[in-house]
Each structure stands twice: as C-alpha cells, then as structure tokens.
Amino acid sequence: MLFIELRVPVGVFDEPARRRLAEQLTGRRLLSAESGTAGADPGVIDLFDSLTHVVVREEEVWVAGETPHDRAQRPWCVVNVIVGMWGKEMSEHLISRITEELAQATGASEPQVVVNVISVPEGGYGLYGRVHRSADVLQLIEEAKTGSAAPVPYDMIVDPVCGATVPLADAVILERDGRTYGFCCPHCRGHYVKQLREAEAS
C-alpha cells in the first residue's frame, strides 16, 4: 500500500546499486520490527509488502540550494512515499526507517535524505479496479492476519484489528466491559468500535 520513489543524482549509483537501494525500501523491510522489538502480524506484513512498489530514478540535473551536485560529495537522496492511507500515523516511522535503510545501503552514518510522506485522501486509493476506503483496507488487513507466535513484552499491546504490536504508552486505548484494548491508530480503534456496534445490533 506504499508507492516509494527514490530519486538520486545521475551516475552516483550503478544499476546493481540502485537495485540494492530499492530492495532496502520494500514494505517488508520498512514495516517489520526493529531488532529486539515485537512487530506487526506476519500476514499483514505480507499484505503490505505485496502492495508496495519501489522505483529508483536518476536525475540528470540536481541543484541543492544554489550548488549543482558534485559527485565527489555525499549524494542527496529524495524519497517520496505515497501512503494509501494513514500518512500522518505512519510518517514518523517511515521517515526513521527509510533514513536507517539508506544509511545502511550507502554506508553513511548520516545520509543526506529528504523524505516526503504523502497521504492519499479517503476515497483516493484504488485496488483491484475499485475505490478502497479505510474500512475496506482494514478489512483486507483483518483477513490477512495470521497471528504471531512471538511473546508480547509486558509494556506492549497487540492491536486486535491489524495485529500490530505497539507500546502501551503510545496505544490508542478503548476500555470496554472491564477489558483494555490498545490500537496503533484511531482508524483501527474506530473500525473495532464499529464492528462491536454492528455485532450488538444484529
């Protein structure tokens, strides 16, 4: 559900290097857990990875400020990430992970990277020939869940909608019938509440 466009100055990276850069920015790599932390549901990662596309483009003309790019210097990279939905909720994570992946790929401890996370408005995402709104995407996510065998640390909670494991301190909370539910974002919480209301009404 991501379209990732990496733009680099022409001639800085050969074709195998550009391919490696693209492989560093797959949905699986960007959305999987960092080392030592619990992560998202494996089935949901598979879904996101299957719907993520990465392109690397070389630019003939590149001027930063008033200075044309000099191949002797560290190259700038610009990454445009179009998020099917939830750009605001995902931006901090994506910016951090993309910068980390490009640092690893280029060998620079602080790569010169500009990341733009662009969210598609509700009703602006199409899949399989039809518009998919957030509820439709959340339904795909729920269907993709496989459950994780990894134990959940005491200070984390699993989102019952998307299967993401999130820090309890950052979770969007729902208290219901003496139970505490934690969600990765308000969209998942809203979807869960809507499902509960529909179940109660039937």
Side-chain angles (χ1 to χ4, degrees):
M1 297 177 196
L2 304 172
F3 177 72
I4 301 168
E5 175 188 56
L6 170 60
R7 294 179 176 260
V8 297
V10 69
V12 173
F13 301 103
D14 62 15
E15 193 275 335
R18 293 194 304 273
R19 185 172 298 279
R20 284 192 302 275
L21 287 171
E23 290 167 356
Q24 293 288 113
L25 299 179
T26 62
R28 180 172 310 285
R29 287 189 68 92
L30 295 180
L31 299 175
S32 293
E34 298 169 17
S35 177
T37 64
D41 182 281
V44 175
I45 292 292
D46 288 344
L47 172 68
F48 268 85
D49 196 48
S50 72
L51 297 174
T52 296
H53 302 272
V54 183
V55 297
V56 180
R57 298 193 170 131
E58 289 187 297
E59 299 299 332
E60 293 283 341
V61 178
W62 194 291
V63 177
E66 296 180 356
T67 308
H69 176 258
D70 179 353
R71 289 190 192 183
Q73 297 177 338
R74 282 189 303 152
W76 276 97
C77 299
V78 174
V79 183
N80 295 317
V81 186
I82 300 174
V83 181
M85 280 157 236
W86 312 305
K88 180 179 178 183
E89 292 82 3
M90 295 178 72
S91 62
E92 188 171 332
H93 176 81
L94 287 171
I95 290 167
S96 171
R97 293 290 290 127
I98 287 168
T99 303
E100 289 170 10
E101 291 294 339
L102 289 176
Q104 182 179 340
T106 61
S109 59
E110 292 184 15
Q112 298 186 123
V113 180
V114 175
V115 181
N116 301 303
V117 178
I118 304 158
S119 186
V120 174
E122 183 72 15
Y125 182 71
L127 186 61
Y128 310 126
R130 70 176 186 86
V131 170
H132 273 59
R133 290 179 169 74
S134 55
D136 300 315
V137 174
L138 285 167
Q139 189 63 43
L140 287 175
I141 288 170
E142 279 192 300
E143 292 167 4
K145 284 192 313 186
T146 58
S148 176
V152 179
Y154 75 94
D155 57 345
M156 307 284 275
I157 195 163
V158 177
D159 185 320
V161 174
C162 69
T165 304
V166 294
L168 192 53
D170 298 336
V172 178
I173 299 296
L174 170 67
E175 299 282 350
R176 188 174 176 96
D177 300 328
R179 289 191 63 190
T180 299
Y181 300 91
F183 302 87
C184 67
C185 68
H187 298 287
C188 283
R189 183 187 187 278
H191 184 74
Y192 192 75
V193 168
K194 181 181 174 190
Q195 286 185 319
L196 289 175
R197 288 183 182 148
E198 288 172 355
E200 289 169 354
S202 62

